[in-house]
Amino acid sequence: MRKILISACLLGKKVRYDGGALSVDDQIVEQWRSEGRIVSVCPEVEAGMSIPRPPAEIFKGSGKGVLNGEVDVIENDGGKVTNEFLAGASIALNLCRKFDIDIAVLAEFSPSCGSTAIYDGSFSGKKVPGMGVTAALLREHGVHVFSQYEIAQANTALLATSS
Ligand code: SF4
């Protein structure tokens, strides 16, 4: 049974920077759950970051730039957390390798998990096209990353490759 990686906060786990959770009320996710397909991960918490923690954004760049050492992830008080974000991304990638996962559903807009858009690093709520660090690393290694707004597409991809 092919598995799928999902952001822990999307499964209702209170792991977000503010101690909250997101949730996806979707029958497809429930189906995945009942089939035992779901592997959950919060890259930031897995990397040792606390709950709650200061909000962080990628400063003038995206996850790809972080992977290339071109830009940093900073907290709103100016603290640099680039290494923690890189460590979290590696943990997520290792989970994909361990469970032979090539499909992920990650939480949009996060500096770790965002897959099409993220905040711009100004902490003003402005979003820009781009990926978080985990999404960028997973894609670099062939994982198909979807957001919580693309569950149906993720399911189509999953069933197309299911064994
Ligand atoms: Fe953790 Fe990703 Fe959810 Fe942020 S978006 S809380 S890093 S799982």
Side-chain angles (χ1 to χ4, degrees), residues 21-160:
L22 301 169
S23 64
V24 279
D25 183 20
D26 193 297
Q27 224 175 334
I28 293 172
V29 176
E30 284 315 306
Q31 176 81 21
W32 292 341
R33 206 192 296 266
S34 68
E35 291 170 346
R37 289 186 187 271
I38 294 179
V39 174
S40 126
V41 67
C42 174
E44 293 169 26
V45 170
E46 295 289 343
M49 300 186 81
S50 62
I51 308 167
R53 54 191 175 278
E57 297 187 2
I58 297 172
F59 187 66
K60 292 187 178 169
S62 80
K64 208 164 176 187
V66 177
L67 296 181
N68 293 337
E70 295 160 359
V71 291
D72 282 309
V73 188
I74 52 164
E75 295 178 329
N76 64 343
D77 61 3
K80 200 190 282 188
V81 284
T82 310
N83 287 341
E84 288 85 345
F85 274 67
L86 288 168
S90 291
I91 290 166
L93 178 61
N94 284 340
L95 277 174
C96 289
R97 288 178 169 149
K98 180 175 175 186
F99 292 103
D100 198 20
I101 288 172
D102 66 354
I103 310 275
V105 174
L106 302 183
E108 193 64 289
F109 311 127
S110 152
S112 289
C113 295
S115 56
T116 64
I118 54 173
Y119 292 100
D120 73 347
S122 65
F123 296 94
S124 62
K126 192 175 166 215
K127 292 167 189 157
V128 289
M131 293 179 274
V133 183
T134 293
L137 185 67
L138 295 190
R139 279 191 174 142
E140 209 170 270
H141 288 82
V143 178
H144 303 282
V145 180
F146 299 87
S147 78
Q148 69 267 42
Y149 309 116
E150 301 170 311
I151 303 267
Q153 293 94 314
N155 196 44
T156 301
L158 185 73
L159 297 180

